[in-house]
Amino acid sequence: MPDLSDIGAAVIGTGFIGAVHLSTLRRLGIPIIGVLGSSAARGADRARALGVAKAYGSLDEMLADPTVQVVHVTSPNVAHYPQVRAILAAGKHVICEKPLAMTSAQSAEMLAMARASGKVAAVCYNTRFYPLNQHAHGMMKAGDLGDLRLITGHFHQDWLAKETDWNWRLEAEEGGPLRSVSDIGTHWVDLTNFITGQKPVAVMAELATFIPERQKPLGPVETFTATKGPTETRKIETDDAATILLRYGNGGLGMLSTSQISHGRRGLLSWDISGSKASAAWSAEHPEELWIGHREAPNQVLLRDPSLMNPTGAAAAFMPGGHPEGFADTWAAFFRQVYGDVARGGRGEGSTWATFQDGHHEMLFCDAVLASAARGAWVDVAQG
C-alpha cells in the first residue's frame, strides 16, 4: 500500500457528509490541510468544531494552496459543476459527492475535463465498498451467478417523512429536479451496475410528491436533524418516492423503488439478483450477510469474513470475520483505494471506485426517469 501521509487533502462543505469525509481522512492518516464552508464565518466556526486547523475564505484561496493535492466536494449539488471545473483547472485531484451535477450537460463537460486533466476524479458511491457487495461483484465477474435475468430492490428512508422535515435537497434549485431518485436511487443504480456489469438501457418511471407543502426553517438546519424555530410554508415539486421498471442491455429486467417518506426505514438499501446459474441478495440493514440461492443445492448465507471471500471482497474488508463493519468502513475502503491511486499516479487495474463516467451515466439515467414520468412511457437511457 502506498504511503498516503504525504498527500494533502481539503474538504469543501462542513455538514453531515463533510464531517464523514474528515473523520475518514483522519482514520487513514491523510493530512487535512483545511476546509471551506458556505461562508467564511461558517467555515471558521465549523473548522473549530471539527478540529481542523485551517478554514479557507474562498475556493480560490484553497486552490492556490500548493500543499493541497486532493479536494473533496461535499457541497450542495448546485455547486458541484463550478467547483469541480475550478479544481481540475487548478491541477488538483477531486472526489465529488453524488449526484455529479445538476444536469447531464454539466456532467458531460465535467467528464471531458477530468479525462483531459489526467487527474484522479472519483464520485462518492461508497455503497460499492461494503465488502460483500465487492464480493458479489467478483462472483458475477467470475460467472458464479450466470447472466443477469432479474434484479429487484429499493432504497427507502424516513428522514423526510413529515411536513416539518426540511433539507436543501427538497428544493429543485439546490438539488435538481429529482430528489429521491437522484439522491438515493442513483446509489442503488450505481451499485447494481457495478455488481452485475450491466446498465439499464430503458426505464418506465412514476414519481410521487406525497407532501406538496413543507415548513422551511428560517434559520440553518443540518442534514438528518430536526427543524427548530420559526418556519415558512414552501411548495415542494421534487419526488418523495418513485417506482421504476428497468430493461438491461443483455435482456435482463429490473424493478426499483425509492422513498424518503417510509417511516422506520433509516436507510434500507437492498438488491436481489436472479442469475441464470444462481441468485444472490443483500441489504444494508444486514450488511454482514450475503444470501446465495441455489436450485439443486442448499442455499447459503455468507457472513463477511475475508478468509472466506473472493479477492475482490476481501480487499475491501478491514476486520476479520466476527468483527462487524458498517457505513463508516465503506468510506475508509473507498478513500484508501482512491488515495492509493493518487499516490500511484492513476487508476489501478483492480480499482473499483466510481469514475466520472459512472457519475455521468447516473445523470443520463435521471434524464430518462424524468422523461418517462412526464410521458408515462418507456424511455431509452442515453449512452455517453
Side-chain angles (χ1 to χ4, degrees):
M1 181 69 189
D3 183 11
L4 308 183
S5 61
D6 294 329
I7 304 174
V11 177
I12 301 174
T14 57
F16 161 73
I17 204 65
V20 170
H21 282 234
L22 289 168
S23 66
T24 307
L25 292 169
R26 289 192 175 104
R27 175 177 174 178
L28 296 176
I30 296 167
I32 300 168
I33 309 303
V35 297
L36 177 66
S38 55
S39 68
R42 164 79 170 171
D45 288 344
R46 291 295 290 158
R48 284 190 292 270
L50 295 167
V52 179
K54 183 176 181 63
Y56 294 99
S58 68
L59 179 60
D60 288 342
E61 182 187 351
M62 172 186 283
L63 298 181
D65 188 339
T67 64
V68 174
Q69 294 169 260
V70 182
V71 180
H72 294 239
V73 178
T74 77
S75 50
N77 303 347
V78 68
H80 292 182
Y81 172 70
Q83 289 173 348
V84 167
R85 280 174 47 86
I87 292 162
L88 290 171
K92 313 285 188 184
H93 305 279
V94 61
I95 301 174
C96 185
E97 271 298 331
K98 51 78 218 160
L100 187 56
M102 292 283 278
T103 69
S104 59
Q106 290 181 349
S107 61
E109 188 176 339
M110 294 159 75
L111 172 58
M113 194 169 182
R115 285 173 169 168
S117 74
K119 296 298 180 180
V120 168
V123 187
C124 295
Y125 288 113
N126 64 295
T127 58
R128 290 186 179 204
F129 285 89
Y130 281 100
L132 288 174
N133 283 331
Q134 294 274 322
H135 179 85
H137 166 77
M139 290 180 69
M140 200 77 189
K141 194 171 183 180
D144 296 341
L145 302 180
D147 296 328
L148 172 65
R149 289 178 171 174
L150 178 68
I151 181 166
T152 62
H154 42 258
F155 198 156
H156 293 175
Q157 300 174 325
D158 72 351
W159 71 295
L160 295 173
K162 298 181 178 181
E163 68 172 14
T164 53
D165 294 326
W166 187 264
N167 184 263
W168 58 262
R169 292 169 176 83
L170 289 158
E171 297 185 293
E173 58 267 29
E174 290 289 317
L178 286 174
R179 177 171 32 97
S180 77
V181 174
S182 64
D183 187 37
I184 58 177
T186 56
H187 264 301
W188 188 94
V189 173
D190 179 81
L191 175 58
T192 53
N193 291 353
F194 167 66
I195 290 172
T196 65
Q198 296 288 332
K199 294 181 178 180
V201 296
V203 300
M204 167 70 94
E206 184 169 7
L207 307 175
T209 303
F210 292 106
I211 307 176
E213 290 186 343
R214 290 178 181 263
Q215 297 304 308
K216 179 180 180 178
L218 298 182
V221 59
E222 298 288 345
T223 301
F224 297 126
T225 61
T227 60
K228 297 178 181 179
T231 63
E232 62 180 3
T233 301
R234 295 297 296 267
K235 183 179 179 181
I236 302 299
E237 297 179 345
T238 54
D239 51 298
D240 288 322
T243 55
I244 307 172
L245 297 178
L246 310 165
R247 288 178 184 158
Y248 290 87
N250 75 328
L253 298 177
M255 295 181 290
L256 162 66
S257 64
T258 63
S259 170
Q260 293 180 316
I261 44 81
S262 295
H263 290 273
R265 294 301 189 186
R266 300 296 190 264
L268 176 57
L269 168 61
S270 70
W271 54 260
D272 189 310
I273 295 172
S274 295
S276 58
K277 293 182 180 179
S279 300
W282 178 89
S283 167
E285 290 190 341
H286 304 282
E288 295 281 281
E289 301 177 3
L290 177 69
W291 179 86
I292 303 170
H294 304 284
R295 169 69 183 272
E296 297 174 339
N299 293 337
Q300 300 169 284
V301 175
L302 173 63
L303 299 180
R304 187 204 55 80
D305 183 339
S307 69
L308 301 176
M309 296 160 65
N310 59 38
T312 306
F318 281 86
M319 303 297 290
H323 299 75
E325 295 185 18
F327 175 80
D329 300 291
T330 67
W331 290 96
F334 169 37
F335 287 178
R336 180 175 62 177
Q337 196 178 93
V338 171
Y339 273 84
D341 285 349
V342 169
R344 282 185 287 266
R347 184 179 177 89
E349 184 177 346
S351 292
T352 55
W353 45 268
T355 65
F356 272 29
Q357 176 71 65
D358 297 311
H360 176 53
H361 177 269
E362 314 312 338
M363 296 304 303
L364 295 173
F365 174 85
C366 288
D367 285 350
V369 167
L370 279 169
S372 174
R375 299 175 197 169
W378 282 93
V379 170
D380 291 340
V381 179
Q383 303 302 306

